[in-house]
Every structure is written in C-alpha cells, then in structure tokens.
Amino acid sequence: MATLSIQERKRLRQIGHALNPVVMLGDKGLTESVVEELSRALNDHELIKVKIAGEDREARAATIAEIAEVSGSEVVQTIGKIALLYKKAPKQNPKLSNLVRHAHLSN
C-alpha cells in the first residue's frame, strides 16, 4: 500500500476528529471476530477509529501495527488508546463512507 501524503493525512485527521471509535479491543486482543469486524468497518466506512485497552504503551503500539498489517489498512494517527485507520474501499458507499459523509469538514 502506498503511503499517504502529508496533505492526505491532514485531511483524514480532520475528518477523523469528528468520529467515535467503531471497534474496541479488549483483554483478549486481536481475535478472529475482531479482525472480521475491522474488515467490515473498513470496507463500509474507509476511515475508522479503533480503541485499544491496556496500559502498556509498547504493547498498544505493537497491537496497532498488527491491526494495520492484518487489515491491510494504514495508521493515519495514534493518540493515546485511539488509532485512526484508513483503507480505501473497492467500491465507495456514499451512505456509509466517512470520507463522503464528512467531506465538508476538510474544506
């Protein structure tokens, strides 16, 4: 996957600011059902927030990297326990895509 330019990251962060976490990882970590939900959410919304439980900063960073690798997404931003992930959908759904629905925020 090609890395995002600085302008693209900035635009995605602006849109992501208004979003709430869609997927939350608990104590069990990255299970098969969580991976399925991540894939569904990324295909539907393209830009999502994921909340990771745990106090260990290095473990959270490793989990976020694993999530991005498994889902084929790119980490746009990480703040504390929240990661903003982006993956371009093969076919964009205007009713579900956060990029379409919140496009007015990036102007």
Side-chain angles (χ1 to χ4, degrees):
M1 174 178 272
T3 58
L4 298 169
S5 71
I6 293 172
Q7 291 297 344
E8 290 171 322
R9 282 186 186 280
K10 184 177 179 183
R11 182 176 150 265
L12 292 174
R13 284 195 315 259
Q14 287 174 334
I15 294 169
H17 183 72
L19 302 178
N20 290 321
V22 176
V23 178
M24 297 182 194
L25 266 69
D27 298 335
K28 294 185 181 180
L30 198 58
T31 62
E32 190 175 316
S33 60
V34 172
V35 171
E36 288 175 13
E37 182 61 22
L38 272 168
S39 296
R40 186 209 55 79
L42 283 166
N43 284 333
D44 288 348
H45 303 296
E46 295 184 278
L47 184 69
I48 63 169
K49 279 187 179 176
V50 178
K51 186 171 184 176
I52 296 101
E55 297 302 318
D56 185 14
R57 189 176 289 178
E58 288 80 24
R60 277 196 317 260
T63 303
I64 291 168
E66 184 181 359
I67 289 170
E69 185 179 327
V70 167
S71 66
S73 63
E74 189 160 346
V75 179
V76 176
Q77 183 180 36
T78 303
I79 298 177
K81 297 180 180 184
I82 306 285
L84 184 63
L85 301 175
Y86 169 72
K87 181 179 179 184
K88 183 154 180 60
K91 185 177 179 188
Q92 202 174 45
N93 184 339
K95 292 182 180 177
L96 295 176
S97 174
N98 286 324
L99 300 182
V100 174
R101 294 177 356 164
H102 297 285
H104 65 281
L105 295 175
S106 62
N107 293 335

